[in-house]
Amino acid sequence: MKNICQSFPITSKEFDELNKSFGKLCYYAAHQLQKKNSKNNYTDDFEDINQELQLSIIRAGSYYKRQIYIEKCFEKINEFALDPFIGKIVNNLQDLWHNRTRHGANRQKFGMKQEIFLEKLIRKIIPKNQRPDRLANLKIDTKFATYCKAIVWNGQKSMGKKITREKVIRSGQVSLSEYDYLSGE
């Protein structure tokens, strides 16, 4: 994940756009999470939750930029690949890319090795002025909006599960004011 966020960075202008479009959603999701767990001795601050959710929209932006870049690479490489052997290699890579979310995808994964291989093919086959731009601006369209909302809600859900798992640990905790009362002072 860290490598993808570094390879496909979100600029401050893009973050401002993301925050404008999805900032209220993060705020609402953080508020809902804190409201649901108000009686659980949950110690994280509202701002911490909100910032964690804002990080998830940055991650969503980076992943979406990568997704668009790889799809454009496949389009260009299919346009320029004349050798049938390279065409078969590209088709295999494209199959791995299209089947990455299906059941059993962990056995046939489009990972970093395949991405590096695709990058080398692009450098070899496609002329420099025709190559897709890795640092292209993020387009906030309806497909991305759906994707980003799902990422925010999944982030909120995973934080909620973490709170629930830690509830048993926190239930035995006593604050300092309660400790003085319980010890008889």
Side-chain angles (χ1 to χ4, degrees):
M1 186 237 13
K2 190 175 183 181
N3 194 14
I4 292 174
C5 289
Q6 288 174 348
S7 298
F8 300 92
I10 297 295
T11 63
S12 59
K13 183 181 174 187
E14 290 171 337
F15 175 73
D16 291 340
E17 261 185 70
L18 285 171
N19 198 26
K20 182 180 170 189
S21 299
F22 302 103
K24 289 182 181 178
L25 176 66
C26 292
Y27 184 87
Y28 178 74
H31 175 69
Q32 290 295 316
L33 184 63
Q34 191 165 30
K35 187 173 102 176
K36 287 179 186 173
N37 294 294
S38 62
K39 297 178 183 175
N40 279 349
N41 296 335
Y42 187 56
T43 57
D44 278 0
D45 188 29
F46 172 79
E47 284 301 318
D48 292 337
I49 298 168
N50 189 26
Q51 287 176 0
E52 185 70 33
L53 292 173
Q54 285 184 341
L55 283 175
S56 67
I57 64 173
I58 292 171
R59 249 181 266 123
S62 291
Y63 277 70
Y64 193 72
K65 282 173 98 171
R66 174 183 175 253
Q67 200 170 339
I68 296 298
Y69 172 75
I70 289 174
E71 288 171 2
K72 285 183 180 179
C73 287
F74 281 127
E75 287 174 16
K76 286 289 185 181
I77 211 162
N78 283 329
E79 184 181 319
F80 285 94
L82 302 175
D83 185 15
F85 179 70
I86 291 177
K88 279 189 173 186
I89 291 172
V90 171
N91 285 338
N92 286 339
L93 284 174
Q94 210 163 7
D95 285 342
L96 285 176
W97 174 253
H98 289 300
N99 293 327
R100 70 190 179 280
T101 58
R102 298 213 175 148
H103 181 68
N106 57 355
R107 281 184 246 121
Q108 50 185 5
K109 187 176 177 184
F110 188 93
M112 287 307 294
K113 289 180 182 179
Q114 288 78 11
E115 195 169 336
I116 290 169
F117 191 66
L118 179 65
E119 194 71 36
K120 288 180 180 181
L121 281 174
I122 287 169
R123 287 188 183 141
K124 182 175 175 75
I125 296 171
I126 301 173
K128 195 170 189 171
N129 59 350
Q130 298 278 331
R131 292 179 192 157
D133 186 13
R134 184 179 268 275
L135 301 174
N137 289 333
L138 175 66
K139 285 187 179 178
I140 300 177
D141 54 359
T142 55
K143 189 176 176 184
F144 174 72
T146 305
Y147 177 67
C148 192
K149 288 174 187 176
I151 296 293
V152 169
W153 287 113
N154 287 342
Q156 185 226 26
K157 236 192 271 186
S158 75
M159 282 192 273
K161 286 180 183 176
K162 180 181 166 195
I163 292 168
T164 304
R165 278 193 306 262
E166 294 174 353
K167 182 180 178 184
V168 177
I169 298 168
R170 286 190 309 277
S171 66
Q173 293 178 344
V174 178
S175 70
L176 291 177
S177 61
E178 291 173 322
Y179 180 75
D180 292 340
Y181 176 76
L182 291 174
S183 63
E185 293 180 9

